Amino acid sequence: MDKMHPSQIPVKLEPYNPDWVLRFQAARDEIMKHLGHVFDDVQHFGSTSIDGMVAKPTIDMLAGTWQFPWDEGHDQHLEKIGFKFYKANHDRWRVYLKPHQDKVRGYHLHVVEYGSEHWLNHLLFRDYLRQHPEDAAEYAFVKLRLAQSESVRTGGRGAYQLGKKDVVQKIMQKAVRWREEAL
């Protein structure tokens, strides 16, 4: 297991792996078994949820709940199934990590307010990339270039996230237009 703080673990991308969907399904089932009374839905999002996308092998999950403010008593149930509290930068979402094999960041569980802007935007970004392979390919190219860059090797995950910001914003603008056209 990595000994450094999770934010300092180097960014390593892997080719798409269909096992990521199976890992998500197993984790979702376990979460719902223990906390189905708390969560309205659990969705797979992020790059591991997009067929063919290169990604860090971390399964990103959105667990939507109406129970905000969050009852920290639920944290003990998450800990029983391996999820440790990581951060809460907002009063309407929290992040938990769960290891997988030798990786501290095997899973990211984002507990968010169900139906919130945070919930909707993450799912819109995912759905748009699933339906627009040209934009998914552009996003993958940016990710690969960043992961190989010196700034990310020395600056870690923060530099990686910052480096993706422009392409994410561009794709998100397209996704919003796509959603509006569908309405």
Side-chain angles (χ1 to χ4, degrees):
M1 186 85 51
D2 295 309
K3 301 288 187 219
M4 60 184 77
H5 188 270
S7 66
Q8 299 302 314
I9 298 168
V11 173
K12 293 180 184 171
L13 300 180
E14 295 181 7
Y16 179 78
N17 184 338
D19 288 345
W20 292 338
V21 173
L22 301 175
R23 284 181 48 207
F24 160 73
Q25 291 169 344
R28 178 201 55 216
D29 292 350
E30 186 174 32
I31 290 166
M32 293 306 285
K33 177 181 172 187
H34 293 274
L35 288 148
H37 62 288
V38 174
F39 296 121
D40 298 284
D41 193 9
V42 178
Q43 291 281 322
H44 189 189
F45 79 107
S47 294
T48 61
S49 72
I50 301 165
D51 191 23
M53 177 69 67
V54 297
K56 299 183 303 291
T58 300
I59 307 303
D60 286 307
M61 298 181 290
L62 280 176
T65 182
W66 294 105
Q67 296 189 19
F68 274 96
W70 181 247
D71 178 353
E72 292 181 10
H74 297 313
D75 287 359
Q76 66 183 336
H77 299 293
L78 287 170
E79 283 193 24
K80 285 180 185 174
I81 56 174
F83 289 94
K84 304 279 188 226
F85 175 73
Y86 179 58
K87 65 180 177 178
N89 290 346
H90 192 279
D91 63 352
R92 293 286 188 237
W93 57 269
R94 301 167 65 84
V95 178
Y96 298 81
L97 302 179
K98 179 178 180 176
H100 178 71
Q101 296 174 344
D102 64 338
K103 301 197 175 19
V104 170
R105 288 178 174 261
Y107 297 86
H108 284 172
L109 178 65
H110 298 242
V111 173
V112 304
E113 186 172 21
Y114 183 80
S116 67
E117 184 176 347
H118 189 97
W119 172 268
L120 296 172
N121 284 342
H122 279 79
L123 297 181
L124 175 62
F125 189 80
R126 176 203 67 192
D127 293 346
Y128 179 82
L129 287 179
R130 285 178 171 175
Q131 296 297 315
H132 295 86
E134 66 285 350
D135 287 313
E138 177 186 4
Y139 184 51
F141 175 78
V142 168
K143 289 169 42 137
L144 285 166
R145 190 184 50 170
L146 282 166
Q148 296 167 355
S149 73
E150 184 62 30
S151 63
V152 168
R153 280 184 281 187
T154 58
R157 291 172 184 271
Y160 179 73
Q161 296 300 330
L162 185 60
K164 295 190 313 180
K165 184 178 178 186
D166 288 343
V167 73
V168 167
Q169 287 177 340
K170 177 179 144 186
I171 291 170
M172 198 59 197
Q173 289 170 351
K174 289 181 175 184
V176 168
R177 285 193 302 272
W178 174 67
R179 177 183 58 201
E180 289 170 354
E181 290 170 4
L183 296 177

